[in-house]
């Protein structure tokens, strides 16, 4: 029988919803909907420029509109949610006392969403925080625990009105299920800092000693656990009684989709931000993740993924958001000079159409050396003092095409610089005539020929600068990487986190197969029928009165 999953991705700039039907080991996307936030309304006003807070009411309205517009007549069997890993929302448990009414939800009992771009925790403040006991032993601004430390120190009265917190997705899951106890996945808890994903558990002793409000912290659970069931009817899609999984990280969800058939690939994702990712599999359980503070450079991280797998990630804060800001600058300039209103889409279309032929020719040399751009408009977590700069030399006057071409090139170069072993892998594979698979995800790069050309130029620079003999036959391959079988670049527009979210969750389900007819499975002394389907990580047995969790005993006994 087909199973239909409603999967929701609560992103930084939009909400994406997919309804996916599973049949055996295959799936089909039945319906999709996407709703962008109102950029003027979602940001809180009158805040310092380095603060970044999103209005939860606007996010909720986007979810409501996306649900309203999706087309599906069937029954939803489960719900999965993913989104902004570092985000932090606070609320009061009384928020869910009243019956759900999307028109009268008490948003005065909910804080703003402090998102991952928030920079209120400057370097001086971060130095005053205790060191986490985890391989992620450095805290960055925008991390949930850093935000809570800041609120505790500078806005204690404001903080005291709340008694619950989680990511924006955790809040939404609690809303769907009217949960009093907040659960957070290992993915998202790790992104908050002060969590050891190996145990797993919060660094409670460290936090208590630093007078952190530990009573607010959600409960960490594995990333494939059902935490509740929907409690109300919402449009025609959501009905009472639908199982809801704990929310997971959007990056892990997207990377699961990207690595599913290409575990050895290098993945470059460019959406609002940008990341380069690689998959690490600890097959024999001997992998020792180094401490962040002990890494030779501080620009990459290890993220928990699933089972004994980790993601090696270079997370740049600068991606499509920088290009969006530049388009906004062009918009305002055109408006000021001509009184014409152009949308950002129209500007991109004109750039693509008019982009000179020589700029799209991959035989061209790297960017003109008379202009250079440092594209870190939003800084970087490993370099809080990083700024956006433009340098023009030689008395030349750059054109708009020179600038946008250079900006795209430097955005790609910046994220490659953050993970040097990727460049080393490309160089070594090329020397040994081994193919390098590079998967590019996100619509920002999948639909942008200027960024795609920039990627080729960056790869060519990596290979050229490492080539010891500039006259050998390899240099012919470098003249046009598109013709080289050693560099396989795939652009994937549809590598959506909401789709990856449901696949990652589906992968956690274990069906008891009839492998040995002489075995019977017992749970807490009771035989389990051979036809049963269970998820071991989702089983929780609790005393109805005390709420205490009862130990789970699973035993296989040979019978017959």
């Amino acid at each position: 029988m087909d199973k239909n999953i409603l999967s929701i991705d609560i992103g930084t700039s939009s909400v994406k919803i997919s309804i996916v039907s599973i049949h055996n080991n295959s799936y089909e996307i039945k319906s999709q909907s996407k709703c962008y936030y109102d950029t003027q309304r979602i940001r809180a006003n009158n805040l310092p420029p380095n603060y970044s807070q999103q209005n939860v009411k606007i996010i909720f309205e986007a979810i409501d509109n996306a649900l309203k517009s999706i087309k599906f007549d069937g029954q939803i069997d489960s719900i999965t949610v993913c989104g902004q890993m570092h985000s932090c929302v606070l609320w009061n448990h009384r928020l869910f006392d009243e019956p759900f009414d999307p028109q009268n939800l008490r948003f005065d009992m909910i804080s703003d969403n402090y998102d991952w771009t928030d920079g209120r925790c400057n370097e001086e403040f971060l130095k005053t925080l205790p060191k986490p006991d985890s391989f992620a032993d450095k805290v960055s601004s925008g991390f949930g625990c850093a935000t809570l430390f800041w609120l505790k120190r500078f806005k204690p009265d404001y903080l005291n009105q709340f008694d619950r917190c989680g990511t924006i997705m955790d809040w939404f899951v609690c809303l769907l299920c009217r949960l009093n106890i907040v659960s957070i996945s290992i993915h998202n808890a790790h992104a908050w800092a002060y969590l050891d994903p190996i145990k797993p558990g919060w660094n409670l002793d460290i936090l208590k000693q630093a007078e952190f409000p530990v009573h607010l912290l959600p409960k960490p659970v594995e990333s494939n656990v059902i935490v509740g069931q929907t409690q109300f009817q919402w449009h025609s899609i959501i009905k009472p009684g639908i199982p809801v999984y704990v929310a997971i990280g959007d990056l892990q969800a997207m990377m699961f989709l990207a690595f599913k058939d290409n575990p050895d690939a290098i993945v470059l994702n460019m959406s609002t931000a940008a990341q380069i990712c690689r998959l690490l599999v600890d097959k024999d359980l001997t992998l020792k993740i180094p401490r962040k503070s002990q890494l030779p450079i501080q620009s990459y991280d290890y993220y928990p993924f699933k089972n004994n797998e980790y993601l090696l990630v270079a997370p740049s804060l600068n991606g499509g958001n920088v290009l969006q800001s530049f388009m906004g600058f062009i918009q305002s300039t055109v408006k000021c000079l001509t009184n014409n209103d152009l949308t950002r889409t129209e500007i991109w279309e004109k750039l693509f159409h008019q982009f000179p032929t020589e700029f799209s020719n991959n035989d061209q040399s790297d960017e003109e050396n008379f202009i250079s751009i440092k594209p870190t408009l939003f800084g970087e977590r490993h370099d809080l003092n990083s700024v956006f700069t433009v340098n023009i030399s030689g008395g030349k006057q750059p054109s708009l095409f020179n600038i946008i071409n250079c900006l795209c090139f430097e955005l790609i170069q910046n994220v490659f610089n953050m993970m040097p072993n990727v460049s080393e892998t490309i160089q070594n594979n090329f020397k040994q005539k081994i193919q390098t698979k590079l998967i590019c995800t996100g619509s920002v790069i999948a639909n942008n020929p200027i960024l795609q050309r920039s990627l080729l130029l960056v790869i060519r620079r990596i290979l050229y600068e490492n080539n010891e003999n500039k006259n050998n036959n390899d240099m012919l391959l470098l003249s046009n990487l598109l013709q080289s079988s050693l560099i396989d670049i795939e652009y994937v527009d549809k590598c959506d986190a909401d789709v990856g979210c449901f696949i990652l969750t589906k992968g956690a389900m274990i069906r008891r197969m009839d492998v040995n007819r002489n075995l019977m499975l017992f749970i807490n002394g009771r035989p389990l029928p051979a036809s049963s389907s269970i998820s071991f990580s989702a089983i929780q047995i609790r005393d109805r009165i005390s709420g205490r969790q009862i130990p789970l005993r699973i035993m296989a006994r040979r019978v017959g």
Side-chain angles (χ1 to χ4, degrees):
M1 181 184 295
D2 292 355
K3 297 290 184 181
N4 300 312
I5 289 86
L6 173 66
S7 198
I8 303 170
D9 175 18
I10 306 175
T12 308
S13 58
S14 66
V15 169
K16 290 169 283 188
I17 295 179
S18 292
I19 294 179
V20 189
S21 180
I22 304 174
H23 181 71
N24 294 331
N25 292 322
S26 62
Y27 68 92
E28 177 186 359
I29 299 175
K30 293 288 188 180
S31 181
Q32 287 188 307
S33 175
K34 187 172 185 177
C35 186
Y36 287 94
Y37 305 141
D38 185 327
T39 55
Q40 297 299 317
R41 295 175 61 214
I42 195 170
R43 294 292 175 186
N45 297 321
N46 304 317
L47 290 176
N50 58 326
Y51 287 31
S52 186
Q53 298 172 211
Q54 293 182 318
N55 189 325
V56 174
K57 183 178 181 181
I58 306 304
I59 296 176
F60 176 80
E61 289 173 351
I63 298 172
D64 186 59
N65 289 331
L67 284 171
K68 189 186 306 181
S69 63
I70 204 159
K71 307 297 182 185
F72 185 70
D73 296 328
Q75 174 183 327
I76 299 298
D77 295 287
S78 61
I79 297 175
T80 60
V81 184
C82 66
Q84 311 174 39
M85 297 180 294
H86 303 288
S87 70
C88 180
V89 177
L90 299 110
W91 66 96
N92 191 287
H93 76 279
R94 292 182 292 109
L95 175 67
F96 303 137
D97 285 350
E98 299 299 325
F100 174 77
D101 182 355
Q103 305 302 320
N104 296 303
L105 197 59
R106 291 284 305 277
F107 289 101
D108 60 316
M109 300 173 67
I110 311 170
S111 75
D112 282 343
N113 176 43
Y114 299 86
D115 68 36
W116 56 274
T117 65
D118 187 78
R120 74 190 61 222
C121 299
N122 58 29
E123 193 168 5
E124 289 72 24
F125 176 81
L126 292 173
K127 287 179 180 178
T128 68
L129 302 185
K131 190 174 184 177
D133 182 16
S134 170
F135 54 79
D137 63 349
K138 294 194 71 173
V139 188
S140 296
S141 189
F143 286 17
C145 284
T147 300
L148 292 171
F149 263 121
W150 191 94
L151 291 171
K152 172 69 174 177
R153 190 172 302 179
F154 297 108
K155 288 192 173 184
D157 292 338
Y158 175 75
L159 185 65
N160 288 339
Q161 65 182 302
F162 305 111
D163 57 13
R164 301 287 187 275
C165 73
T167 68
I168 182 65
M169 305 87 68
D170 300 324
W171 170 81
F172 181 68
V173 168
C174 286
L175 171 67
L176 286 177
C177 305
R178 296 173 65 85
L179 296 176
N180 191 34
I181 297 176
V182 186
S183 295
I184 185 171
S185 68
I186 301 301
H187 291 172
N188 295 330
H190 174 77
W192 272 31
Y194 296 99
L195 178 114
D196 183 349
I198 306 297
K199 289 183 179 178
W202 296 111
N203 301 157
L204 292 179
D205 291 340
I206 295 174
L207 292 170
K208 287 177 181 177
Q209 190 171 359
E211 298 183 346
F212 181 90
V214 293
H215 67 282
L216 289 173
L217 286 174
K219 177 185 176 183
V221 299
E222 294 296 335
S223 303
N224 49 19
V225 173
I226 294 174
V227 294
Q229 294 183 337
T230 53
Q231 299 295 310
F232 47 79
Q233 176 86 31
W234 195 0
H235 298 304
S236 61
I237 300 296
I238 296 179
K239 296 177 173 60
I242 302 174
V244 182
Y245 285 84
V246 67
I248 67 173
D250 54 358
L251 180 65
Q252 283 93 336
M254 193 184 315
M255 290 305 107
F256 188 82
L257 205 59
F259 284 118
K260 187 167 67 73
D261 298 319
N262 299 281
D264 297 323
I266 297 166
V267 178
L268 169 63
N269 177 60
M270 187 164 284
S271 49
T272 303
Q275 301 91 17
I276 283 185
C277 301
R278 304 189 73 178
L279 181 62
L280 298 178
V281 181
D282 187 12
K283 293 181 180 179
D284 51 6
L285 302 180
T286 59
L287 179 65
K288 184 173 176 59
I289 303 296
R291 296 269 168 160
K292 169 81 171 178
S293 59
Q294 298 172 354
L295 294 175
I297 61 173
Q298 301 293 302
S299 53
Y300 59 91
D301 297 285
Y302 291 82
Y303 288 8
F305 190 42
K306 64 181 184 70
N307 301 327
N308 58 335
E309 297 178 356
Y310 299 86
L311 291 177
L312 182 59
V313 184
S316 173
L317 300 181
N318 300 276
N321 49 5
V322 177
L323 296 177
Q324 282 290 85
S325 296
F326 185 70
M327 289 300 110
F329 166 74
I330 294 178
Q331 272 184 306
S332 61
T333 302
V334 171
K335 175 69 173 178
C336 178
L337 296 178
T338 68
N339 204 33
N340 290 327
D341 288 311
L342 288 177
T343 67
R344 295 180 184 185
T345 300
E346 288 172 334
I347 295 172
W348 276 118
E349 289 175 349
K350 290 179 181 295
L351 285 172
F352 295 155
H353 180 72
Q354 299 180 27
F355 204 65
T357 303
E358 61 267 23
F359 282 139
S360 62
N361 186 340
N362 291 305
D363 289 333
Q364 290 294 313
S365 60
D366 289 358
E367 307 312 302
E368 298 83 350
N369 56 19
F370 71 89
I371 178 173
S372 64
I373 297 175
K374 188 175 182 181
T376 50
L377 181 64
F378 297 92
E380 295 291 8
R381 291 195 182 106
H382 65 283
D383 184 8
L384 295 179
N385 298 319
S386 184
V387 295
F388 185 94
T389 59
V390 179
N391 292 313
I392 301 172
S393 60
K396 294 185 178 180
Q397 180 177 332
S399 68
L400 175 60
F401 295 115
N402 293 139
I403 295 173
I404 191 65
N405 195 55
C406 183
L407 179 59
C408 288
F409 176 85
E410 295 297 348
L411 279 172
I412 301 290
Q413 185 69 68
N414 177 61
V415 71
F416 268 82
N417 289 343
M418 290 174 61
M419 192 183 287
N421 70 0
V422 165
S423 297
E424 294 170 7
T425 298
I426 294 173
Q427 292 166 353
N428 292 334
N429 284 354
F430 195 80
K431 277 184 179 180
Q432 300 174 36
K433 301 297 185 289
I434 299 173
Q435 186 183 74
T436 298
K437 176 73 172 181
L438 183 61
I439 300 175
C440 300
T441 62
S443 59
V444 172
I445 190 169
N447 300 322
N448 190 318
I450 308 175
L451 276 172
Q452 292 175 13
R453 173 186 171 273
S454 296
L455 174 61
L456 290 172
L457 289 175
V458 168
I459 294 175
R460 192 173 73 176
R461 174 180 284 184
I462 291 170
L463 296 174
Y464 186 86
E465 290 180 350
N466 191 62
N467 198 289
E468 298 172 355
N469 184 357
K470 300 290 193 294
N471 297 318
N472 65 23
N473 292 332
D474 286 347
M475 301 312 298
L476 296 176
L477 295 176
L478 296 182
S479 64
N480 192 337
L481 286 175
L482 287 178
Q483 295 180 2
S484 171
S485 60
L486 296 179
I487 304 293
D488 179 15
I489 302 177
E490 180 182 358
Y491 294 97
V492 183
D493 186 8
K494 294 297 182 183
C495 195
D496 295 330
D498 52 332
V499 177
C501 179
F502 106 82
I503 298 178
L504 183 55
T505 302
K506 170 182 174 288
M509 296 303 295
I510 303 173
R511 170 163 293 183
R512 182 173 183 247
M513 305 300 293
D514 191 14
V515 178
N516 188 330
R517 296 185 182 183
N518 293 324
L519 290 181
M520 180 172 287
L521 193 64
F522 291 80
I523 295 182
N524 282 27
R526 296 184 178 183
L528 185 74
S531 60
S532 297
S533 177
I534 63 173
S535 173
F536 288 106
S537 61
I539 295 177
Q540 293 181 349
I541 302 178
R542 292 184 179 274
D543 185 283
R544 290 184 182 179
I545 299 176
S546 67
R548 183 177 61 86
Q549 185 165 332
I550 300 173
L552 178 66
R553 301 186 305 277
I554 301 178
M555 178 180 66
R557 179 184 300 168
R558 188 175 296 277
V559 295

